[in-house]
Amino acid sequence: MTTPAPEPRRPFRPLSSTLIRSIVAAGTVCTLCVAALQAALSYRYERARFEAEVQMIVDTNVPLLSVNVWDIEPDAIRRQMRLIAQRPEIAHARLETATGQEFESGTPVRRGTAGTITLDVPYPNGKPGWLGTLAVAPNTAHLHGKLVDDVLRVLVGCLALTALVCAVVFVILRRQLTQPMRQIAEFASSLTPSDLTRPLQLDRSGRRWRDEIDKLAEGFALLQGDIRRHVEELDNQVAARTAELRQANAQLETLARRDPLTGLANRRRFEHEKARAWDATVGQHRPLSVMMVDIDSFKNYNDHYGHAAGDECLAAIGHALASEFHGAGELAVRLGGEEFVVMLENVAPAAALARAETLRSAIEALQLPHAGSPHHHVTVSIGVAATQGDAATPPVPSGAAGVNALLKQADEALYAAKGRGRNAVAALKSDPALSPAA
């Protein structure tokens, strides 16, 4: 599947700039509309002025023209025509008499020019009929100039007002909108996963009201509060899960280091502890003792009573070992099958031998029936080996190797105990010069 190409990043433009552009565009459109309206009104006004001027000509000049034409005064007619054409609203005036004479003044225009007004010159004595026709053409250049002046005046005024409004709005927007929005944007972009709950501080003057920016800041604070609570909940859940996992791991570790049938430590635990025990005792010139414990004739027990009963017997022996050896520096271990080992820190050989005898007697006192044993109940044989804890006596090899050497001697002592008819305790010291004790 083809990954779509990322869209190009759009350029940044301040919100105040966009708003000012919109205001300028709207102001320009409004200015043009006002200018068009002003042009229409000016045209109507100037047109009305022209019509009023023509009416004034009718009221003041036509009677004089009527008298001058009737008296046949060409010079007076020309003077009167010049006075008519000198008015700024009039471009051209033309008089045609009934006798065919023509008098005109002003800038010549084409006949039939748009806006031209034609007036009849009557007889001065009220006689019906007319002496001539007066045609008055408007001064369109003057009209257009007035229109342009009015429109320009409106445009300049509107543009100046728009510029002033935009400047004031820009200052207000920059202070009230752009700066707070920039602060919010910079704050949001500066947040990192480690400080998501850092509060937002806006540089705004105090007001008696709230606006959209305040609501945005409040929403941001609300979102941060939700994130903070969510993070705290996640932290609590992680802590709880971690504690549960730690507890489960501890339980697994305990199960991995404990024999499930007897509840004693297993071979794995023993392998982990024996080097430490050697260094903590023999390395410090203190005694270390080990016992090899074996159930007598256990194969015959299983063959006669079955493996289920054999497991019950092993559990009972394990309970006896746990009851006897549960103090500090004492470790009872099931190596496998019917073989057990006990490691005693800071216990001298004589004391270890005495405790082995106590264990043997306790198991014998259980009176677990055993038809295949000459003693008719379950017994154990125990081999003991120990170091003297004497600095003058060189120890056997260090660490786990030293404990293994002790175990070998305890195993030899166990064979010695079995050789004496089982249900017995025999001991060896770690020094090769010492022989098994009876």
Side-chain angles (χ1 to χ4, degrees):
M1 182 177 180
T2 304
T3 304
E7 295 183 0
R9 189 173 184 180
R10 293 176 296 174
F12 175 79
R13 176 184 292 175
L15 186 58
S16 59
S17 174
T18 301
L19 293 176
I20 290 298
R21 290 169 183 262
S22 301
I23 294 174
V24 169
T28 302
V29 172
C30 292
T31 299
L32 293 177
C33 292
V34 171
L37 179 61
Q38 181 65 30
L41 294 176
S42 297
Y43 178 79
R44 290 182 60 184
Y45 173 74
E46 295 298 331
R47 186 67 183 176
R49 283 189 61 188
F50 174 73
E51 292 176 354
E53 184 68 21
V54 171
Q55 186 63 38
M56 186 184 66
I57 293 173
V58 171
D59 295 339
T60 61
N61 294 293
V62 170
L64 294 176
L65 284 175
S66 176
V67 172
N68 292 330
V69 172
W70 177 258
D71 293 337
I72 310 175
E73 295 286 344
D75 293 335
I77 294 173
R78 292 188 184 92
R79 284 196 301 272
Q80 192 68 32
M81 294 296 291
R82 285 197 296 271
L83 290 174
I84 294 174
Q86 285 176 356
R87 297 186 177 275
E89 294 83 359
I90 306 301
H92 183 262
R94 183 171 178 275
L95 175 65
E96 292 184 4
T97 65
T99 59
Q101 291 179 306
E102 292 185 0
F103 301 90
E104 59 181 338
S105 182
T107 304
V109 296
R110 293 181 301 173
R111 291 191 177 186
T113 301
T116 299
I117 298 178
T118 302
L119 303 170
D120 292 333
V121 179
Y123 286 97
N125 54 10
K127 181 182 177 180
W130 49 276
L131 295 174
T133 302
L134 176 65
V136 181
N139 188 356
T140 56
H142 175 74
L143 176 62
H144 293 163
K146 293 289 291 183
L147 291 176
V148 170
D149 289 342
D150 292 342
V151 171
L152 286 178
R153 185 164 53 252
V154 171
L155 283 175
V156 171
C158 291
L159 290 176
L161 179 61
T162 301
L164 179 61
V165 170
C166 288
V168 174
V169 171
F170 177 77
V171 174
I172 295 175
L173 288 177
R174 183 178 180 84
R175 181 175 179 81
Q176 299 293 333
L177 181 63
T178 303
Q179 291 180 353
M181 293 299 292
R182 181 181 295 115
Q183 291 177 4
I184 294 175
E186 292 175 353
F187 173 80
S189 62
S190 66
L191 289 178
T192 61
S194 61
D195 65 346
L196 283 177
T197 58
R198 173 162 51 92
L200 170 62
Q201 300 292 340
L202 293 180
D203 184 15
R204 304 188 77 194
S205 59
R207 299 175 309 282
R208 293 176 296 175
W209 62 86
R210 295 164 58 248
D211 55 22
E212 289 79 4
I213 295 179
D214 293 317
K215 296 184 70 174
L216 177 61
E218 292 169 1
F220 209 100
L222 181 62
L223 176 61
Q224 287 182 303
D226 292 340
I227 292 175
R228 180 173 59 255
R229 287 189 293 272
H230 184 63
V231 169
E232 291 175 355
E233 291 176 1
L234 289 179
D235 290 341
N236 294 334
Q237 292 178 5
V238 170
R241 297 295 184 271
T242 302
E244 293 174 0
L245 182 60
R246 187 179 295 111
Q247 183 179 3
N249 288 336
Q251 293 175 351
L252 289 175
E253 182 64 20
T254 300
L255 292 175
R257 297 159 70 91
R258 186 178 297 276
D259 178 60
L261 179 61
T262 62
L264 301 177
N266 58 12
R267 182 184 291 273
R268 179 181 179 182
R269 169 84 181 277
F270 181 60
E271 292 294 332
H272 181 267
E273 291 289 336
K274 63 184 182 181
R276 180 205 58 78
W278 179 273
D279 295 337
T281 56
V282 180
Q284 301 298 323
H285 304 293
R286 291 182 292 178
L288 177 66
S289 302
V290 295
M291 304 177 189
M292 290 290 294
V293 182
D294 186 80
I295 302 176
D296 297 327
S297 305
F298 187 70
K299 182 178 183 304
N300 294 335
Y301 188 95
N302 272 336
D303 292 342
H304 186 272
Y305 295 100
H307 290 283
D311 289 344
E312 293 178 0
C313 177
L314 289 171
I317 300 301
H319 183 267
L321 281 163
S323 299
E324 179 64 27
F325 305 103
H326 54 77
E330 300 178 353
L331 182 65
V333 182
R334 182 191 176 195
L335 291 180
E338 69 276 18
E339 292 183 340
F340 301 85
V341 65
V342 178
M343 184 168 62
L344 303 174
E345 300 179 32
N346 301 319
V347 176
L353 189 63
R355 297 193 65 179
E357 181 59 33
T358 301
L359 174 64
R360 185 201 64 77
S361 298
I363 294 175
E364 185 178 19
L366 294 176
Q367 294 295 307
L368 298 175
H370 189 350
S373 171
H375 302 93
H376 305 293
H377 52 265
V378 174
T379 59
V380 294
S381 297
I382 303 174
V384 180
T387 63
Q388 295 292 337
D390 186 358
T393 303
V396 294
S398 63
V403 178
N404 291 338
L406 278 180
L407 289 174
K408 183 178 181 181
Q409 294 181 23
D411 193 55
E412 293 175 358
L414 175 64
Y415 276 102
K418 287 185 176 293
R420 294 170 53 190
R422 296 181 173 83
N423 192 22
V425 175
L428 288 178
K429 294 182 180 180
S430 61
D431 192 329
L434 298 177
S435 58

